[in-house]
């Protein structure tokens, strides 16, 4: 989100030189800079002990490609807690271990996605209402089921390369 007006007092912002950051939206009345904001979310490759990856389909995202578990961080929640919550909500699985892989800027939605590997024991998938279908995919087949170059694809490719 890019600010035009101050969310505290409603004044129109000016552009002000702030250190080495360049011109930043600034409220002269409140005397504060208002940095551009983005939503922070997680994306998790859910991997079982057989090195299979849980992929899901959400028709509101894509009807042709699968995706990984993803979700928005709630206020007061750590990224790791978000991974555990989202895997439980979307797939009904308990996470044994969470490992950070890397971050991914997602400019189309003004988001920063924090990528994780979530280790689980293989079990039946119990889907939430926002998941249309899900399956366990062998790691060597998982990449072809994701949108090539997409964030889920990049995450899974990185995890496969590390195995």
């Amino acid at each position: 989100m890019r600010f035009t007006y101050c969310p505290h007092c409603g004044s129109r912002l000016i552009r002000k030189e702030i250190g080495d950051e360049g011109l930043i939206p600034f409220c002269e009345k409140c005397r504060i800079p208002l940095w551009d904001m983005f939503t922070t979310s997680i994306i998790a490759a859910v991997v079982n002990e057989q090195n299979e990856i849980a992929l899901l389909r959400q028709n509101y995202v894509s009807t042709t490609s699968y995706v990984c578990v993803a979700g928005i961080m709630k206020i007061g929640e750590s990224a790791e807690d978000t991974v555990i919550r989202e895997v439980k909500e979307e797939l009904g699985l308990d996470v044994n271990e969470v490992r950070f892989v890397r971050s991914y800027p997602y400019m189309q939605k003004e988001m920063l996605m924090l990528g994780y590997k979530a280790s689980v024991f293989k079990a039946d998938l119990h889907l939430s209402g926002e998941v249309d279908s899900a399956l366990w995919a062998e790691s060597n087949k998982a990449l072809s089921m994701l949108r090539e170059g997409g964030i889920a694809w990049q995450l899974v490719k990185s995890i496969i390369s590390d195995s």
Side-chain angles (χ1 to χ4, degrees):
M1 173 177 21
R2 300 180 196 289
F3 290 103
T4 304
Y5 296 91
C6 178
H8 305 287
C9 72
S11 297
R12 186 166 184 82
L13 303 175
I14 63 164
R15 306 285 289 170
K16 182 176 180 178
E17 189 83 28
I18 306 284
D20 60 0
E21 299 298 327
L23 293 173
I24 303 297
F26 186 84
C27 179
E28 292 181 293
K29 183 176 180 184
C30 297
R31 307 205 39 80
I32 58 170
L34 293 155
W35 310 96
D36 294 339
M37 295 177 62
F38 53 85
T39 302
T40 308
S41 63
I42 63 89
I43 183 166
V46 178
V47 182
N48 67 31
E49 70 278 11
Q50 296 170 14
N51 228 21
E52 295 171 317
I53 300 171
L55 300 178
L56 51 109
R57 183 164 285 149
Q58 295 170 300
N59 291 339
Y60 71 91
V61 175
S62 174
T63 58
T64 58
S65 297
Y66 284 84
V67 295
C68 290
V69 169
I72 305 296
M73 289 176 58
K74 294 180 179 180
I75 292 176
E77 186 176 52
S78 72
E80 293 78 10
D81 288 343
T82 305
V83 170
I84 292 166
R85 176 180 54 78
E86 288 289 342
V87 171
K88 185 67 168 180
E89 286 176 3
E90 293 185 6
L91 299 176
L93 299 172
D94 293 317
V95 174
N96 303 321
E97 182 181 352
V98 176
R99 181 178 61 84
F100 178 73
V101 177
R102 69 167 289 213
S103 60
Y104 304 89
Y106 186 17
M107 297 307 293
Q108 296 91 327
K109 293 193 177 182
E110 294 184 345
M111 296 174 94
L112 176 66
M113 299 191 84
L114 304 176
Y116 287 87
K117 176 182 179 183
S119 299
V120 300
F121 292 119
K122 186 172 184 176
D124 290 337
L125 304 174
H126 300 281
L127 311 181
S128 77
E130 68 181 78
V131 177
D132 295 297
S133 63
L135 52 78
W136 288 108
E138 294 176 18
S139 60
N140 62 346
K141 294 181 182 174
L143 280 179
S144 66
M145 301 172 76
L146 300 165
R147 186 177 59 79
E148 186 173 353
I151 293 172
W153 184 88
Q154 293 175 54
L155 175 62
V156 169
K157 185 173 188 218
S158 179
I159 288 170
I160 290 170
S161 296
D162 288 348
S163 297

